[in-house]
Amino acid sequence: MVTDCVLGLKAESFTDEPSPIMGYIKAILHMPWPSIIYLMIANFLPSIRLFYKMRLIPLPMEHYFVNLMQTAIDARQQQLAVGKQFDRGDFLDYILQLGSKKNLDTRQLTAHIMTFLLDGFETTATVLSQVLLLLGRDEQVQQRLREEIEAHLSDKGIIEFERLNELPFLDACIHETLRLFPLFVARKLCTEPIELPNKKGESFVVERGTTVIVPHCCFMLDEEYFPDPQAFNPERFMQPDAVKMFREQGVFNGFGDGPRICIGMRFALIQIKAAIIEVLTKFNIRLNPKTRKDILYEPLAFVTTLKGGIWLDFEERQ
Ligand code: HEM
């Protein structure tokens, strides 16, 4: 879905001959040690990039993506040449229009597209697998969610796109999953000095140019706000506007916050909801004994994942 919506390319993921793009994106996300260490240092000390720039994407991969981008641009421009307007409404349409306004070359366009591909690919898939994991662990919650979904199915056995947002328990299950598997930290560069009040003493001034690491996982697993924080309890998100309330308290940042909040939030939520509805109406999900019972994160993963992986059994429903 991501390659289709971003570049207009079918990744053919469910065929025997998937496009290599999936493999390349996965390879980029599984960085070697030196690149991870370099990125960690650069987070604390952004100026290191002025003295030493490390290649984070191997050259053959860069060539692959730049060529892919050029092919996609050529294909769109051929459409234009035969009088077709930009009308697909995908990210490539948008970025091409931006590129012609701002005079961006193929490499710069590729960079923007890469951000979108990388941010949009593993994240959604991982969160989807985590929702299924937590549903597999809790049969009661799974059944309650299935009942909510079935009550909204149309005569055709589907839920209309417009009605996807009318399923509060589904929403709550997804947000509770994001709380339990949060993006570890956010990194921000302070652009204006700000005084932060401190309940226990003198307030603290963050100077301009300071790199700030926001430890999302600490807030989202804080028992002051989320009693029994390790428990999967979607009820926490059932009161109206719970997400907004927690976000305003600064304790729920599943998609970040502020002007740089995740640009793909709605896209991701729609994909996850559609997939869960499809799976839950057709299968019972059970935990495979290979899956661990607690929530221990994989320490080296780019996106928060369960150590040892998630193994589930899908039992077809009659
Ligand atoms: C459930 C899946 C997803 C999660 C949990 C997630 C989470 C996040 C988070 C926490 C941020 C950082 C926000 C901040 O710094 O305050 C972010 C940024 C971003 N996300 Fe997502 N994301 C998801 C899916 C997607 C998808 C599907 C796309 C695009 C197709 C996407 C594109 C982006 C982009 C481009 C940014 C950078 C925004 C900016 O810096 O202005 N994300 N995301």
Side-chain angles (χ1 to χ4, degrees), residues 2 115-116 119-120 123-124 127 178 183 186 188 253-257 259-264 267-268 271-272:
V2 175
T115 314
F116 223 75
D119 288 353
T123 43
T124 311
V127 174
L178 286 167
L183 198 77
K188 303 283 165 189
N253 278 295
F255 289 98
D257 200 1
R260 306 303 293 258
I261 193 168
C262 175
I263 194 176
F267 181 41
Q271 288 185 83
I272 294 172

Side-chain angles (χ1 to χ4, degrees), residues 163-183:
R163 300 198 66 196
L164 275 183
N165 288 331
E166 294 172 13
L167 301 163
F169 196 59
L170 176 55
D171 248 320
C173 289
I174 298 173
H175 284 102
E176 176 67 346
T177 305
L178 286 167
R179 184 189 71 78
L180 281 168
F181 287 94
L183 198 77

